[in-house]
Amino acid sequence: MQVERLEEPAGKAVPETAQRAVPRHVAVIMDGNGRWAAARRLPRLAGHRAGAQAVRRCIQAAIQNKVGWLTLYAFSSENWRRPAEEVTDLTGLLRHYLRHELAELHREGVRLRVIGERERFDRDMCREFERAERITAGNTRLNLMVALSYGGRSDILRATVAIAEAVRDGRLDPAQLDEQQFGRFLYTDGIPDPDLMVRTSGEFRLSNFLLWQAAYAELVFLDVLWPDFGPTHFAEALDTYARRERRFGARPG
């Protein structure tokens, strides 16, 4: 697995995409909202609001580059440990986004799905999730997964418990269990594994995101805070991906 850190040259044009290999599924760890706000002496909520604008740019870039699947790490299971005021701000911003951006996502042909422990949100928020998924269910231009209250370890643990229960109840023969079967018990059942994982803010961590699914993902770390993320950064990450030789453990030819 190769790792590359990128910085965006000022004023660089968006690269042409016609001849390059485009990943089927891009996953993004959106990091840096707090530092962006602190650098401007603004409250953290201002950083999260600016980050929501970057989400719009990222979705548009995915559509323009004909990426079929996009997963955004919006709220981790560990984020519940943040100060109560910040958690309230984050969930309120999420509710506002779902209510005010859904029509535009639908017009753009985006299918929205939520992965993670949605039951940890209040009933009103869960209804918003269900409404957004129902309205966009028939869209095919872009499959957008938003990871909320998601953690890779808890995803694997949850799947393991479900498998143990299936074996106990006689619904699953453990001798027949393989990686494909295991994947059906994860939140991402039916979703292809990410080909490319991008993290912003210059940090070099997966932060408990899609640990099982990212086993063979190409990793790109960008030296840009999430609120400053734009289509050129997305294109640079795709160019880096296109230059990689993906061998999936096989010896080079």
Side-chain angles (χ1 to χ4, degrees):
M1 184 180 293
Q2 293 174 289
V3 175
E4 184 162 336
R5 178 174 180 159
L6 298 177
E7 295 186 26
E8 183 188 18
K12 183 173 180 179
V14 177
E16 294 294 330
T17 62
Q19 300 301 318
R20 70 182 176 198
V22 176
R24 184 183 185 191
H25 182 178
V26 177
V28 183
I29 301 173
M30 306 180 294
D31 190 24
N33 291 349
R35 274 170 284 172
W36 184 92
R40 291 159 176 77
R41 298 183 179 181
L42 297 171
R44 289 180 67 86
L45 181 58
H48 295 314
R49 286 174 173 163
Q53 299 294 324
V55 167
R56 294 189 187 98
R57 296 192 294 269
C58 185
I59 291 170
Q60 286 299 318
I63 291 172
Q64 291 167 6
N65 286 279
K66 295 182 170 51
V67 171
W69 302 77
L70 176 67
T71 300
L72 302 178
Y73 201 12
F75 191 90
S76 76
S77 52
E78 290 80 11
N79 285 160
W80 292 108
R81 303 173 191 166
R82 292 186 177 185
E85 182 180 359
E86 184 176 358
V87 171
T88 298
D89 287 342
L90 280 168
T91 54
L93 183 60
L94 175 61
R95 182 180 286 107
H96 180 273
Y97 186 89
L98 287 171
R99 290 176 177 172
H100 293 85
E101 298 292 330
L102 182 60
E104 179 63 23
L105 291 174
H106 189 41
R107 280 194 296 271
E108 290 285 349
V110 177
R111 180 182 182 182
L112 176 65
R113 279 180 275 187
V114 174
I115 61 172
E117 302 166 326
R118 62 171 73 194
E119 65 274 7
R120 295 191 65 177
F121 293 91
D122 63 39
R123 188 174 300 178
D124 181 58
M125 184 71 81
C126 289
R127 282 196 290 263
E128 294 289 347
F129 298 155
E130 292 165 2
R131 175 174 172 268
E133 291 176 331
R134 182 178 65 254
I135 289 173
T136 63
N139 295 336
T140 59
R141 194 178 186 190
L142 174 68
N143 291 279
L144 173 64
M145 277 66 60
V146 180
L148 296 170
S149 190
Y150 177 87
R153 288 182 173 181
S154 64
D155 192 4
I156 294 169
L157 179 59
R158 171 181 167 275
T160 303
V161 171
I163 289 168
E165 291 174 345
V167 171
R168 179 198 62 196
D169 298 340
R171 294 180 284 111
L172 178 65
D173 179 359
Q176 302 301 314
L177 185 65
D178 57 15
E179 291 183 8
Q180 184 176 4
Q181 284 265 24
F182 189 94
R184 291 173 182 161
F185 289 86
L186 297 169
Y187 284 118
T188 51
D189 178 31
I191 298 170
D193 289 343
D195 303 296
L196 170 63
M197 184 174 288
V198 179
R199 180 176 185 140
T200 61
S201 86
E203 300 289 347
F204 291 84
R205 295 187 302 275
L206 294 183
S207 293
N208 200 21
F209 184 43
L210 299 178
L211 299 181
W212 173 279
Q213 298 87 340
Y216 283 100
E218 298 294 329
L219 307 182
V220 173
F221 297 92
L222 299 170
D223 225 353
V224 58
L225 299 176
W226 177 249
D228 293 325
F229 183 90
T232 308
H233 298 101
F234 196 94
E236 288 281 351
L238 294 191
D239 271 4
T240 300
Y241 171 84
R243 293 194 297 269
R244 302 272 177 88
E245 182 181 354
R246 305 188 75 204
R247 295 189 293 270
F248 301 96
R251 297 176 66 179

